[in-house]
Amino acid sequence: QAQLVESGGGSVQAGGSLRLSCAASGYIDSSWYMGWFRQAPGKEREGVAAIRTEGDNPHYADSVKGRFTISRDNGKNALYLQMNSLKPEDTAKYFCAASYYSTRFPLQASVYNYWGQGTQVTVSS
């Protein structure tokens, strides 16, 4: 059983940056997909970024390409999301997730088996 704990959320002004971290414990294989998702009030959870292995080509939602960077440190059992040039529409609760499925849709929430509790990101204009 894997446990995921996010940290690093907060409130920033538009144009600012935040770095989210996800600490994983329990068994997570280095070949599993890990990803970041977000959910704003009244909206569905959406995939933001995902990566399969350390150094693998990451996947990004179009809305964050060029602004967000996902990275993974298997030695530390950690996942990160560097968020730059933040916009008010990035405001949401951000979740870390892990999937043991081999999937062609790594930004789809339904393929993920383990989830953290989330960390709030608020971007003001």
Side-chain angles (χ1 to χ4, degrees):
Q1 191 78 2
Q3 293 82 40
L4 304 171
V5 179
E6 304 92 338
S7 61
S11 297
V12 295
Q13 290 191 326
S17 298
L18 282 173
R19 188 188 193 217
L20 304 184
S21 297
C22 173
S25 59
Y27 182 74
I28 292 185
D29 195 279
S30 60
S31 67
W32 289 8
Y33 266 111
M34 293 192 73
W36 288 98
F37 292 76
R38 66 186 182 188
Q39 188 166 20
K43 294 189 177 182
E44 290 189 358
R45 191 168 296 191
E46 64 168 337
V48 174
I51 189 167
R52 186 163 187 178
T53 61
E54 194 171 346
D56 193 14
N57 288 329
H59 304 262
Y60 294 102
D62 288 343
S63 59
V64 306
K65 280 181 182 175
R67 300 188 299 122
F68 290 10
T69 302
I70 188 172
S71 60
R72 181 172 178 173
D73 187 332
N74 289 330
K76 295 182 178 179
N77 270 354
L79 184 72
Y80 306 100
L81 186 68
Q82 178 66 43
M83 304 186 295
N84 299 328
S85 302
L86 283 160
K87 303 176 181 179
E89 51 263 44
D90 294 319
T91 295
K93 194 167 189 179
Y94 283 70
F95 299 87
C96 171
S99 171
Y100 51 68
Y101 292 119
S102 178
T103 177
R104 293 184 296 152
F105 308 102
L107 294 180
Q108 203 168 75
S110 60
V111 306
Y112 285 79
N113 314 101
Y114 300 106
W115 293 86
Q117 294 300 306
T119 184
Q120 180 67 35
V121 171
T122 303
V123 184
S124 58
S125 57

